[in-house]
Amino acid sequence: MRIDLHTHSTASDGTQSPADVIASAAQAGLDVVALTDHDTSSGWPEATAAADRSGLRFVPGVEISCLLRGVSVHLLSYLHDPEDPALVRMLTESRTSRESRARRMVDRLGPDTGLCWEDVQEHVHGPATIGRPHIADALVARGVVADRDEAFATLLSGRGKYFVPQTAPDPVEAVRVVRAAGGVPVIAHPAASKRGSCIDDDEVAAMAQAGMAGLEVDHRDHSDAERAHLRDLATALGLFVTGSSDYHGAGKRNLLGENTTEPESLARIDEIAAASRLAHPA
């Protein structure tokens, strides 16, 4: 069984519709795929219908943007109630913050690149969660940079003069909100040092104590040494591990199924979600 639990669509910063992500997953030989768009579950209905047609199992998810002492932390949530009031409020606030931050970055970029907000909107599909990738696509379209990778390495870098920090929830609080919504929280690419600063093991442990259930270990942004360390950390904290592509269509070089999750970890996700439903029936 081939399982990929981290993908993105045009509901956030991917380049394929939710249905096309599912179709691509089927073509890639996956048996199970999760859609985990940033701070939104709006792609779930389309993905669910496409999975039914393709014969894949669809796992509904979301990737929640968090912040701890200035370090970006991404929390994956699986099988939660998409109408839970506290979680809806958290995701709505995160989307609002993302758009505000994007507008301020465009304001900073404008005098040097000619970029304007209308340029960015041309690369946003419907009510998608807006983020830096949409700014990157607008910069590519204007010929300022060659691709998203160059945009993030230069103009959109967290160390650059155009960068604006995002307002986001504390990851421990996000874990608690996800668990209260019946979801299964897993930290995404927690040791991806090539992306920038990472939280430390004690901070991961605090998230685990709050109810985090797993660590995304096998990810292209983790070195072999980082993967080995995370496996040891997961064992010490009693967490399951996952592997995923973090697929964004043409937005990143990541390929569907390039890292996968063991069936035992998916079974743990199902067990935790089922236990939550029994403890908190609708």
Side-chain angles (χ1 to χ4, degrees), residues 75 184-188 190 204 211-216 234 238-242 272:
L75 185 70
V184 183
V186 175
I187 188 172
V204 173
M212 186 173 69
L215 300 182
E216 186 181 64
L239 307 176
F240 62 78
V241 303
T242 65
I272 294 168

Side-chain angles (χ1 to χ4, degrees), residues 215-248:
L215 300 182
E216 186 181 64
V217 172
D218 293 314
H219 187 283
R220 71 155 49 206
D221 290 343
H222 286 160
S223 67
D224 289 344
E226 287 165 343
R227 295 185 192 208
H229 174 76
L230 287 173
R231 289 186 193 282
D232 289 342
L233 181 61
T235 298
L237 296 175
L239 307 176
F240 62 78
V241 303
T242 65
S244 307
S245 65
D246 199 356
Y247 178 71
H248 284 70

Side-chain angles (χ1 to χ4, degrees), residues 46-119:
E46 184 181 334
T48 298
D52 288 343
R53 293 192 297 270
S54 299
L56 273 71
R57 178 181 168 190
F58 171 61
V59 179
V62 68
E63 186 170 9
I64 303 170
S65 309
C66 303
L67 201 63
L68 180 63
R69 55 174 178 78
V71 177
S72 177
V73 182
H74 288 184
L75 185 70
L76 297 163
S77 172
Y78 302 108
L79 303 178
H80 58 265
D81 175 5
E83 298 181 357
D84 178 81
L87 184 54
V88 168
R89 183 166 56 253
M90 176 177 285
L91 296 180
T92 299
E93 290 173 352
S94 289
R95 289 196 302 274
T96 300
S97 171
R98 274 179 173 270
E99 180 168 340
S100 174
R101 168 224 209 173
R103 286 179 179 272
R104 284 181 287 159
M105 289 187 70
V106 170
D107 288 342
R108 292 185 180 187
L109 285 159
D112 293 336
T113 66
L115 193 70
C116 65
W117 186 244
E118 288 71 21
D119 295 330

